[in-house]
Short mmCIF file of all heavy atoms in Angstrom, two decimals:
data_model
loop_
_atom_site.label_atom_id
_atom_site.label_comp_id
_atom_site.label_asym_id
_atom_site.label_seq_id
_atom_site.Cartn_x
_atom_site.Cartn_y
_atom_site.Cartn_z
N ILE A 116 13.26 12.29 -23.04
CA ILE A 116 14.11 12.18 -24.22
C ILE A 116 13.70 13.40 -25.05
O ILE A 116 12.51 13.55 -25.36
CB ILE A 116 13.77 10.90 -25.01
CG1 ILE A 116 13.82 9.68 -24.09
CG2 ILE A 116 14.71 10.74 -26.21
CD1 ILE A 116 13.02 8.51 -24.65
N PHE A 217 20.72 9.35 -27.70
CA PHE A 217 20.15 8.30 -28.55
C PHE A 217 20.40 8.66 -30.01
O PHE A 217 20.07 9.78 -30.44
CB PHE A 217 18.64 8.21 -28.37
CG PHE A 217 18.18 7.50 -27.13
CD1 PHE A 217 16.82 7.46 -26.81
CD2 PHE A 217 19.07 6.83 -26.30
CE1 PHE A 217 16.38 6.80 -25.67
CE2 PHE A 217 18.63 6.17 -25.16
CZ PHE A 217 17.28 6.15 -24.84
N ILE A 218 20.95 7.73 -30.77
CA ILE A 218 21.05 7.93 -32.22
C ILE A 218 19.83 7.23 -32.83
O ILE A 218 19.71 6.01 -32.76
CB ILE A 218 22.36 7.32 -32.78
CG1 ILE A 218 23.59 7.83 -32.02
CG2 ILE A 218 22.46 7.61 -34.28
CD1 ILE A 218 23.88 9.31 -32.15
N ASP A 219 18.93 8.00 -33.40
CA ASP A 219 17.70 7.43 -33.95
C ASP A 219 17.98 6.55 -35.17
O ASP A 219 18.88 6.85 -35.96
CB ASP A 219 16.73 8.54 -34.38
CG ASP A 219 16.02 9.16 -33.18
OD1 ASP A 219 16.24 8.69 -32.04
OD2 ASP A 219 15.23 10.10 -33.39
N ALA A 220 17.19 5.49 -35.32
CA ALA A 220 17.27 4.66 -36.52
C ALA A 220 16.38 5.27 -37.59
O ALA A 220 15.32 5.81 -37.30
CB ALA A 220 16.82 3.25 -36.21
N GLU A 221 16.84 5.17 -38.84
CA GLU A 221 16.06 5.76 -39.93
C GLU A 221 15.87 4.71 -41.02
O GLU A 221 15.85 3.52 -40.74
CB GLU A 221 16.75 7.03 -40.42
CG GLU A 221 17.01 8.01 -39.25
CD GLU A 221 17.42 9.38 -39.71
OE1 GLU A 221 16.89 9.85 -40.71
OE2 GLU A 221 18.30 9.99 -39.05
N THR A 251 19.99 2.66 -32.15
CA THR A 251 18.61 2.17 -32.22
C THR A 251 18.52 0.96 -33.14
O THR A 251 19.09 0.98 -34.24
CB THR A 251 17.68 3.29 -32.71
OG1 THR A 251 17.83 4.43 -31.85
CG2 THR A 251 16.22 2.86 -32.70
N GLN A 253 15.85 -1.77 -35.04
CA GLN A 253 14.45 -1.87 -35.46
C GLN A 253 14.05 -3.34 -35.63
O GLN A 253 14.54 -4.01 -36.56
CB GLN A 253 14.26 -1.13 -36.79
CG GLN A 253 14.52 0.37 -36.71
CD GLN A 253 14.83 0.99 -38.06
OE1 GLN A 253 15.62 0.44 -38.84
NE2 GLN A 253 14.22 2.12 -38.36
N ALA A 254 13.17 -3.81 -34.75
CA ALA A 254 12.82 -5.24 -34.74
C ALA A 254 12.05 -5.67 -35.99
O ALA A 254 11.94 -6.86 -36.26
CB ALA A 254 12.03 -5.57 -33.48
N TYR A 255 11.49 -4.73 -36.76
CA TYR A 255 10.74 -5.15 -37.96
C TYR A 255 11.65 -5.62 -39.09
O TYR A 255 11.21 -6.21 -40.06
CB TYR A 255 9.74 -4.12 -38.43
CG TYR A 255 10.23 -2.79 -38.99
CD1 TYR A 255 11.55 -2.52 -39.32
CD2 TYR A 255 9.29 -1.79 -39.23
CE1 TYR A 255 11.95 -1.30 -39.84
CE2 TYR A 255 9.67 -0.56 -39.76
CZ TYR A 255 11.01 -0.33 -40.06
OH TYR A 255 11.39 0.88 -40.58
N LYS A 280 18.86 0.74 -27.90
CA LYS A 280 17.48 1.25 -27.85
C LYS A 280 16.70 0.38 -28.85
O LYS A 280 17.03 0.35 -30.03
CB LYS A 280 17.46 2.72 -28.26
CG LYS A 280 16.06 3.30 -28.44
CD LYS A 280 16.17 4.73 -28.96
CE LYS A 280 14.92 5.17 -29.69
NZ LYS A 280 15.22 6.19 -30.71
N LEU A 281 15.70 -0.31 -28.33
CA LEU A 281 14.96 -1.25 -29.18
C LEU A 281 13.59 -0.67 -29.55
O LEU A 281 12.82 -0.28 -28.68
CB LEU A 281 14.80 -2.58 -28.43
CG LEU A 281 14.26 -3.76 -29.22
CD1 LEU A 281 15.17 -4.13 -30.39
CD2 LEU A 281 14.09 -4.99 -28.31
N VAL A 282 13.35 -0.59 -30.87
CA VAL A 282 12.03 -0.14 -31.36
C VAL A 282 11.51 -1.20 -32.31
O VAL A 282 12.25 -2.09 -32.72
CB VAL A 282 12.13 1.22 -32.11
CG1 VAL A 282 12.66 2.33 -31.22
CG2 VAL A 282 13.00 1.11 -33.37
N ARG A 283 10.25 -1.08 -32.70
CA ARG A 283 9.76 -2.00 -33.74
C ARG A 283 10.12 -1.46 -35.12
O ARG A 283 10.45 -2.21 -36.00
CB ARG A 283 8.25 -2.20 -33.59
CG ARG A 283 7.91 -3.20 -32.48
CD ARG A 283 6.42 -3.43 -32.38
NE ARG A 283 6.09 -4.59 -31.55
CZ ARG A 283 6.19 -4.65 -30.22
NH1 ARG A 283 6.62 -3.60 -29.56
NH2 ARG A 283 5.87 -5.75 -29.57
N GLY A 284 10.08 -0.15 -35.29
CA GLY A 284 10.46 0.44 -36.58
C GLY A 284 9.34 1.27 -37.16
O GLY A 284 8.17 0.84 -37.16
N ALA A 285 9.68 2.47 -37.65
CA ALA A 285 8.66 3.44 -38.04
C ALA A 285 8.57 3.68 -39.54
O ALA A 285 7.75 4.46 -39.98
CB ALA A 285 8.93 4.77 -37.34
N TYR A 286 9.41 3.01 -40.35
CA TYR A 286 9.46 3.37 -41.77
C TYR A 286 8.91 2.27 -42.67
O TYR A 286 9.32 2.13 -43.81
CB TYR A 286 10.90 3.71 -42.17
CG TYR A 286 11.47 4.89 -41.40
CD1 TYR A 286 12.09 4.71 -40.17
CD2 TYR A 286 11.35 6.18 -41.89
CE1 TYR A 286 12.58 5.78 -39.44
CE2 TYR A 286 11.83 7.27 -41.17
CZ TYR A 286 12.46 7.06 -39.95
OH TYR A 286 12.95 8.13 -39.24
N ILE A 287 7.97 1.50 -42.13
CA ILE A 287 7.49 0.32 -42.85
C ILE A 287 6.93 0.68 -44.23
O ILE A 287 7.15 -0.06 -45.20
CB ILE A 287 6.45 -0.46 -41.99
CG1 ILE A 287 6.23 -1.84 -42.56
CG2 ILE A 287 5.17 0.29 -41.80
CD1 ILE A 287 5.53 -2.80 -41.61
N ARG A 292 9.70 -3.94 -49.09
CA ARG A 292 8.95 -4.88 -48.23
C ARG A 292 9.77 -6.12 -47.85
O ARG A 292 9.64 -6.68 -46.78
CB ARG A 292 7.63 -5.28 -48.94
CG ARG A 292 6.63 -6.02 -48.05
CD ARG A 292 6.20 -5.15 -46.86
NE ARG A 292 5.31 -5.81 -45.92
CZ ARG A 292 5.71 -6.48 -44.84
NH1 ARG A 292 6.99 -6.58 -44.56
NH2 ARG A 292 4.83 -7.01 -44.01
N ILE A 295 11.54 -6.34 -44.51
CA ILE A 295 10.72 -6.33 -43.29
C ILE A 295 10.16 -7.73 -43.03
O ILE A 295 9.88 -8.48 -43.97
CB ILE A 295 9.53 -5.35 -43.47
CG1 ILE A 295 10.02 -3.98 -43.96
CG2 ILE A 295 8.66 -5.24 -42.24
CD1 ILE A 295 10.46 -3.02 -42.94
N ASN A 296 10.00 -8.07 -41.76
CA ASN A 296 9.38 -9.36 -41.42
C ASN A 296 8.05 -9.53 -42.15
O ASN A 296 7.33 -8.56 -42.37
CB ASN A 296 9.11 -9.42 -39.91
CG ASN A 296 10.40 -9.40 -39.12
OD1 ASN A 296 11.34 -10.09 -39.47
ND2 ASN A 296 10.44 -8.59 -38.08
N ASP A 297 7.72 -10.79 -42.45
CA ASP A 297 6.54 -11.03 -43.28
C ASP A 297 5.24 -10.61 -42.59
O ASP A 297 4.31 -10.17 -43.24
CB ASP A 297 6.46 -12.51 -43.66
CG ASP A 297 7.63 -12.88 -44.58
OD1 ASP A 297 8.17 -11.95 -45.21
OD2 ASP A 297 8.00 -14.06 -44.63
N THR A 298 5.18 -10.76 -41.27
CA THR A 298 3.94 -10.39 -40.58
C THR A 298 4.26 -9.57 -39.32
O THR A 298 5.39 -9.58 -38.83
CB THR A 298 3.16 -11.65 -40.11
OG1 THR A 298 4.00 -12.36 -39.20
CG2 THR A 298 2.76 -12.54 -41.27
N LYS A 299 3.21 -8.93 -38.85
CA LYS A 299 3.32 -8.14 -37.63
C LYS A 299 3.71 -9.04 -36.45
O LYS A 299 4.51 -8.68 -35.61
CB LYS A 299 1.95 -7.50 -37.39
CG LYS A 299 1.93 -6.37 -36.41
CD LYS A 299 0.57 -5.69 -36.46
CE LYS A 299 0.43 -4.65 -35.40
NZ LYS A 299 -0.76 -3.82 -35.52
N SER A 300 3.13 -10.26 -36.43
CA SER A 300 3.40 -11.12 -35.27
C SER A 300 4.85 -11.57 -35.25
O SER A 300 5.42 -11.76 -34.17
CB SER A 300 2.43 -12.31 -35.20
OG SER A 300 2.56 -13.07 -36.35
N VAL A 301 5.51 -11.68 -36.42
CA VAL A 301 6.94 -12.02 -36.42
C VAL A 301 7.73 -10.86 -35.79
O VAL A 301 8.65 -11.06 -35.00
CB VAL A 301 7.45 -12.35 -37.85
CG1 VAL A 301 8.94 -12.64 -37.83
CG2 VAL A 301 6.70 -13.52 -38.44
N THR A 302 7.35 -9.63 -36.17
CA THR A 302 8.02 -8.45 -35.57
C THR A 302 7.85 -8.45 -34.05
O THR A 302 8.80 -8.21 -33.30
CB THR A 302 7.44 -7.14 -36.16
OG1 THR A 302 7.72 -7.12 -37.56
CG2 THR A 302 8.03 -5.91 -35.52
N TYR A 303 6.62 -8.75 -33.60
CA TYR A 303 6.36 -8.75 -32.16
C TYR A 303 7.22 -9.79 -31.46
O TYR A 303 7.81 -9.54 -30.41
CB TYR A 303 4.87 -9.04 -31.89
CG TYR A 303 3.98 -7.82 -32.05
CD1 TYR A 303 4.24 -6.86 -33.03
CD2 TYR A 303 2.90 -7.62 -31.22
CE1 TYR A 303 3.44 -5.75 -33.18
CE2 TYR A 303 2.08 -6.50 -31.35
CZ TYR A 303 2.36 -5.57 -32.33
OH TYR A 303 1.57 -4.46 -32.47
N TYR A 306 10.86 -8.71 -31.42
CA TYR A 306 11.08 -7.63 -30.43
C TYR A 306 11.25 -8.24 -29.03
O TYR A 306 12.22 -7.96 -28.33
CB TYR A 306 9.88 -6.67 -30.44
CG TYR A 306 10.11 -5.42 -29.62
CD1 TYR A 306 10.59 -4.25 -30.22
CD2 TYR A 306 9.87 -5.40 -28.25
CE1 TYR A 306 10.81 -3.10 -29.48
CE2 TYR A 306 10.09 -4.26 -27.50
CZ TYR A 306 10.56 -3.11 -28.12
OH TYR A 306 10.80 -1.97 -27.38
N PHE A 334 17.10 0.09 -23.67
CA PHE A 334 16.00 1.05 -23.56
C PHE A 334 14.89 0.57 -24.48
O PHE A 334 15.08 0.45 -25.70
CB PHE A 334 16.46 2.46 -23.98
CG PHE A 334 15.47 3.52 -23.60
CD1 PHE A 334 15.62 4.28 -22.45
CD2 PHE A 334 14.33 3.74 -24.39
CE1 PHE A 334 14.69 5.24 -22.09
CE2 PHE A 334 13.39 4.69 -24.03
CZ PHE A 334 13.57 5.45 -22.88
N LEU A 335 13.73 0.25 -23.89
CA LEU A 335 12.61 -0.22 -24.69
C LEU A 335 11.73 0.97 -25.07
O LEU A 335 10.99 1.49 -24.22
CB LEU A 335 11.80 -1.26 -23.92
CG LEU A 335 12.55 -2.56 -23.58
CD1 LEU A 335 11.65 -3.52 -22.80
CD2 LEU A 335 13.07 -3.25 -24.84
N ALA A 336 11.85 1.40 -26.30
CA ALA A 336 11.04 2.51 -26.80
C ALA A 336 9.83 1.89 -27.47
O ALA A 336 9.90 1.47 -28.62
CB ALA A 336 11.85 3.36 -27.77
N THR A 337 8.75 1.77 -26.74
CA THR A 337 7.57 1.09 -27.28
C THR A 337 6.28 1.58 -26.64
O THR A 337 6.27 1.98 -25.48
CB THR A 337 7.70 -0.44 -27.10
OG1 THR A 337 6.58 -1.08 -27.70
CG2 THR A 337 7.77 -0.85 -25.63
N HIS A 338 5.21 1.50 -27.42
CA HIS A 338 3.87 1.79 -26.90
C HIS A 338 3.14 0.49 -26.63
O HIS A 338 1.93 0.51 -26.34
CB HIS A 338 3.08 2.62 -27.93
CG HIS A 338 3.73 3.93 -28.24
ND1 HIS A 338 3.62 4.55 -29.44
CD2 HIS A 338 4.50 4.73 -27.45
CE1 HIS A 338 4.30 5.69 -29.41
NE2 HIS A 338 4.84 5.81 -28.22
N ASN A 339 3.84 -0.62 -26.77
CA ASN A 339 3.20 -1.92 -26.63
C ASN A 339 3.28 -2.39 -25.18
O ASN A 339 4.36 -2.69 -24.66
CB ASN A 339 3.91 -2.91 -27.57
CG ASN A 339 3.20 -4.22 -27.64
OD1 ASN A 339 3.11 -4.93 -26.65
ND2 ASN A 339 2.67 -4.54 -28.81
N GLU A 340 2.11 -2.46 -24.55
CA GLU A 340 2.07 -2.77 -23.11
C GLU A 340 2.60 -4.17 -22.84
O GLU A 340 3.34 -4.39 -21.87
CB GLU A 340 0.63 -2.64 -22.60
CG GLU A 340 0.53 -2.81 -21.11
CD GLU A 340 -0.78 -2.32 -20.51
OE1 GLU A 340 -1.67 -1.92 -21.28
OE2 GLU A 340 -0.88 -2.34 -19.28
N SER A 342 4.88 -5.93 -24.41
CA SER A 342 6.36 -5.98 -24.43
C SER A 342 6.94 -5.34 -23.17
O SER A 342 7.89 -5.86 -22.58
CB SER A 342 6.91 -5.24 -25.66
OG SER A 342 6.57 -5.91 -26.83
N GLY A 366 10.31 3.96 -22.64
CA GLY A 366 9.92 5.29 -23.10
C GLY A 366 8.78 5.27 -24.10
O GLY A 366 8.67 4.36 -24.93
N GLN A 367 7.92 6.25 -23.97
CA GLN A 367 6.82 6.45 -24.94
C GLN A 367 6.82 7.92 -25.37
O GLN A 367 7.32 8.79 -24.66
CB GLN A 367 5.45 6.15 -24.30
CG GLN A 367 5.21 4.68 -23.96
CD GLN A 367 5.92 4.24 -22.70
OE1 GLN A 367 5.94 4.99 -21.72
NE2 GLN A 367 6.52 3.06 -22.69
N LEU A 368 6.25 8.16 -26.55
CA LEU A 368 6.19 9.53 -27.05
C LEU A 368 5.17 10.35 -26.26
O LEU A 368 4.14 9.80 -25.82
CB LEU A 368 5.79 9.55 -28.52
CG LEU A 368 6.67 8.78 -29.51
CD1 LEU A 368 6.14 8.93 -30.93
CD2 LEU A 368 8.11 9.27 -29.46
N PHE A 398 10.37 7.09 -19.21
CA PHE A 398 10.68 8.38 -19.83
C PHE A 398 9.58 8.75 -20.83
O PHE A 398 8.93 7.87 -21.39
CB PHE A 398 12.01 8.29 -20.61
CG PHE A 398 13.22 8.16 -19.71
CD1 PHE A 398 13.44 7.01 -18.99
CD2 PHE A 398 14.12 9.20 -19.61
CE1 PHE A 398 14.56 6.88 -18.15
CE2 PHE A 398 15.24 9.10 -18.78
CZ PHE A 398 15.45 7.94 -18.06
N LYS A 399 9.40 10.03 -21.05
CA LYS A 399 8.55 10.49 -22.15
C LYS A 399 9.46 11.13 -23.19
O LYS A 399 10.40 11.85 -22.83
CB LYS A 399 7.50 11.50 -21.66
CG LYS A 399 6.19 10.85 -21.20
CD LYS A 399 5.37 10.26 -22.35
CE LYS A 399 4.01 9.77 -21.94
NZ LYS A 399 3.33 8.95 -22.97
N CYS A 400 9.16 10.86 -24.45
CA CYS A 400 9.97 11.40 -25.54
C CYS A 400 9.29 12.66 -26.10
O CYS A 400 8.14 12.60 -26.56
CB CYS A 400 10.12 10.34 -26.62
SG CYS A 400 11.12 10.88 -28.00
N ARG A 416 2.25 11.63 -36.21
CA ARG A 416 1.62 11.10 -34.99
C ARG A 416 0.14 10.77 -35.28
O ARG A 416 -0.37 9.76 -34.83
CB ARG A 416 1.71 12.10 -33.84
CG ARG A 416 3.10 12.45 -33.39
CD ARG A 416 3.79 11.34 -32.62
NE ARG A 416 4.25 10.24 -33.42
CZ ARG A 416 5.41 10.21 -34.10
NH1 ARG A 416 6.23 11.20 -34.06
NH2 ARG A 416 5.74 9.13 -34.80
N GLU A 419 -0.02 7.63 -37.23
CA GLU A 419 0.32 6.48 -36.38
C GLU A 419 -0.90 6.10 -35.53
O GLU A 419 -1.19 4.92 -35.36
CB GLU A 419 1.50 6.86 -35.49
CG GLU A 419 2.25 5.66 -34.95
CD GLU A 419 3.55 6.09 -34.26
OE1 GLU A 419 4.26 6.96 -34.81
OE2 GLU A 419 3.82 5.56 -33.17
N ALA A 423 -2.86 2.49 -35.50
CA ALA A 423 -2.94 1.65 -34.29
C ALA A 423 -4.39 1.67 -33.79
O ALA A 423 -4.69 2.13 -32.70
CB ALA A 423 -1.99 2.19 -33.22
N ARG A 426 -5.46 0.11 -30.27
CA ARG A 426 -4.93 0.82 -29.10
C ARG A 426 -5.56 2.20 -28.97
O ARG A 426 -5.88 2.65 -27.87
CB ARG A 426 -3.40 0.93 -29.20
CG ARG A 426 -2.83 1.42 -27.89
CD ARG A 426 -1.33 1.39 -27.82
NE ARG A 426 -0.71 1.93 -29.00
CZ ARG A 426 0.20 1.30 -29.72
NH1 ARG A 426 0.60 0.10 -29.38
NH2 ARG A 426 0.72 1.85 -30.79
C1 LIG B 501 10.56 6.78 -27.52
C2 LIG B 501 10.46 6.27 -28.92
C3 LIG B 501 11.53 6.41 -29.79
C4 LIG B 501 11.43 5.90 -31.11
N1 LIG B 501 12.51 6.02 -31.94
C5 LIG B 501 12.46 5.44 -33.18
C6 LIG B 501 13.59 5.43 -34.03
O1 LIG B 501 14.65 5.94 -33.69
N2 LIG B 501 13.47 4.82 -35.24
C7 LIG B 501 12.32 4.20 -35.64
O2 LIG B 501 12.28 3.62 -36.75
N3 LIG B 501 11.22 4.20 -34.86
C8 LIG B 501 11.27 4.80 -33.64
N4 LIG B 501 10.15 4.78 -32.84
C9 LIG B 501 8.85 4.31 -33.38
C10 LIG B 501 8.72 2.81 -33.28
O3 LIG B 501 9.62 2.18 -34.16
C11 LIG B 501 7.30 2.32 -33.64
O4 LIG B 501 6.96 2.73 -34.94
C12 LIG B 501 6.21 2.77 -32.75
O5 LIG B 501 6.65 2.92 -31.44
C13 LIG B 501 5.07 1.73 -32.77
O6 LIG B 501 5.55 0.46 -32.34
P1 LIG B 501 5.30 -0.07 -30.86
O7 LIG B 501 6.41 -0.96 -30.40
O8 LIG B 501 5.10 1.10 -30.02
O9 LIG B 501 4.01 -0.96 -30.85
P2 LIG B 501 2.90 -1.51 -31.80
O10 LIG B 501 1.99 -0.38 -32.15
O11 LIG B 501 2.34 -2.65 -31.06
O12 LIG B 501 3.60 -2.03 -33.13
C14 LIG B 501 3.43 -1.42 -34.37
C15 LIG B 501 4.70 -1.72 -35.14
O13 LIG B 501 4.71 -3.10 -35.57
C16 LIG B 501 5.40 -3.20 -36.80
N5 LIG B 501 4.49 -3.77 -37.81
C17 LIG B 501 3.21 -3.37 -38.07
N6 LIG B 501 2.67 -4.08 -39.09
C18 LIG B 501 3.63 -4.95 -39.50
C19 LIG B 501 3.67 -5.93 -40.53
N7 LIG B 501 2.63 -6.16 -41.32
N8 LIG B 501 4.80 -6.65 -40.68
C20 LIG B 501 5.88 -6.44 -39.90
N9 LIG B 501 5.89 -5.51 -38.88
C21 LIG B 501 4.80 -4.77 -38.68
C22 LIG B 501 5.80 -1.79 -37.22
O14 LIG B 501 7.13 -1.57 -36.79
C23 LIG B 501 4.83 -0.92 -36.43
O15 LIG B 501 5.36 0.38 -36.17
C24 LIG B 501 10.24 5.26 -31.53
C25 LIG B 501 9.18 5.10 -30.64
C26 LIG B 501 9.27 5.58 -29.35
C27 LIG B 501 8.13 5.36 -28.42
#
Side-chain angles (χ1 to χ4, degrees):
I116 307 159
F217 282 174
I218 307 295
D219 283 357
E221 306 192 39
T251 304
Q253 296 159 314
Y255 67 11
K280 172 185 156 208
L281 190 61
V282 300
R283 281 182 167 73
Y286 299 87
I287 195 165
R292 192 61 183 92
I295 309 274
N296 295 316
D297 294 338
T298 61
K299 196 170 173 171
S300 60
V301 177
T302 297
Y303 279 36
Y306 189 94
F334 193 98
L335 296 180
T337 183
H338 299 150
N339 188 296
E340 186 164 5
S342 293
Q367 292 78 41
L368 302 181
F398 290 70
K399 271 290 187 192
C400 181
R416 297 287 75 82
E419 201 171 317
R426 191 172 46 233

